[in-house]
Amino acid sequence: MERRIILLMLVVLSHIALLAQDREGSKGSDFIITIDGDIVKTIYRPEIVILDSGTGVKSVPISYHPGALSLAKNDRDHLLSLDDSIKLLLKFEYNEYTTRGNQKVLNYEIEIGKEWLEQAYMILHIYNTDKKPYKGKLKPIPGKNYTFELDYPGGQMIRLRKK
């Protein structure tokens, strides 16, 4: 009987140790994306793109599910060590369905700061400025048909709205 208890304890402890190692391999941030007021459940091909005039373009793969944005610990450390002059883009695709059931693929590129990865949480609100509720009320990002706002522990960034 004692052997079974000891064996069971060893199995449980080894399982806990494996879970801890897995968490160390990737680092996540509490991150929520909303598009036009709806929480995004699935995005496709998410990545952080590093735009450096010296070395060109590099892509860092990430994963997202509502409430969490994860990337490899080495990639996160690399992003946090970059010079502030280097531009980072959060890039992903989102599928939207019309009332008739047609699928529309929307591509987003949001310029981010490396401090986004250091926040306890980040809520990214994206608004498509070609849709009626936001058309003429919010100014889109130059060259795009959308804009964004942020909520984070230190405050928020809100776009000016026209009356």
Side-chain angles (χ1 to χ4, degrees):
M1 185 66 168
E2 279 184 35
R3 283 186 177 176
R4 287 185 182 173
I5 292 172
I6 291 172
L7 183 61
L8 181 63
M9 288 180 66
L10 287 174
V11 169
V12 169
L13 290 174
S14 65
H15 185 68
I16 290 171
L18 287 173
L19 286 174
Q21 283 178 348
D22 187 39
R23 286 195 168 214
E24 286 179 14
S26 69
K27 224 34 183 153
S29 296
D30 291 342
F31 202 93
I32 296 173
I33 300 173
T34 69
I35 297 179
D36 298 328
D38 295 324
I39 293 176
V40 173
K41 294 167 188 69
T42 306
I43 59 175
Y44 300 94
R45 293 194 271 197
E47 61 186 353
I48 294 177
V49 178
I50 304 168
L51 301 174
D52 182 8
S53 58
T55 60
V57 178
K58 182 184 176 199
S59 176
V60 175
I62 59 175
S63 64
Y64 172 82
H65 67 271
L69 181 115
S70 302
L71 62 154
K73 186 177 183 324
N74 293 341
D75 289 336
R76 181 185 177 98
D77 293 342
H78 173 68
L79 291 173
L80 292 174
S81 71
L82 292 173
D83 186 67
D84 289 337
S85 64
I86 295 175
K87 193 175 186 179
L88 301 176
L89 296 175
L90 173 62
K91 189 174 174 181
F92 63 91
E93 291 180 0
Y94 175 70
N95 291 336
E96 181 178 81
Y97 295 92
T98 64
T99 54
R100 294 183 179 175
N102 297 328
Q103 179 182 357
K104 183 177 179 183
V105 177
L106 303 171
N107 295 298
Y108 294 102
E109 290 182 357
I110 306 291
E111 186 173 347
I112 66 171
K114 64 183 183 179
E115 60 275 356
W116 287 29
L117 303 172
E118 298 172 322
Q119 297 294 325
Y121 69 87
M122 184 72 67
I123 303 172
L124 173 65
H125 304 280
I126 299 173
Y127 302 103
N128 289 298
T129 55
D130 56 352
K131 291 188 177 178
K132 189 176 180 179
Y134 312 107
K135 192 173 193 170
K137 294 181 182 174
L138 293 171
K139 185 177 178 182
I141 297 170
K144 309 290 184 188
N145 63 343
Y146 56 87
T147 190
F148 69 93
E149 296 179 338
L150 297 173
D151 287 312
Y152 55 95
Q156 56 189 155
M157 188 226 33
I158 297 177
R159 302 282 178 183
L160 291 175
R161 287 171 163 68
K162 297 178 185 176
K163 290 186 178 185

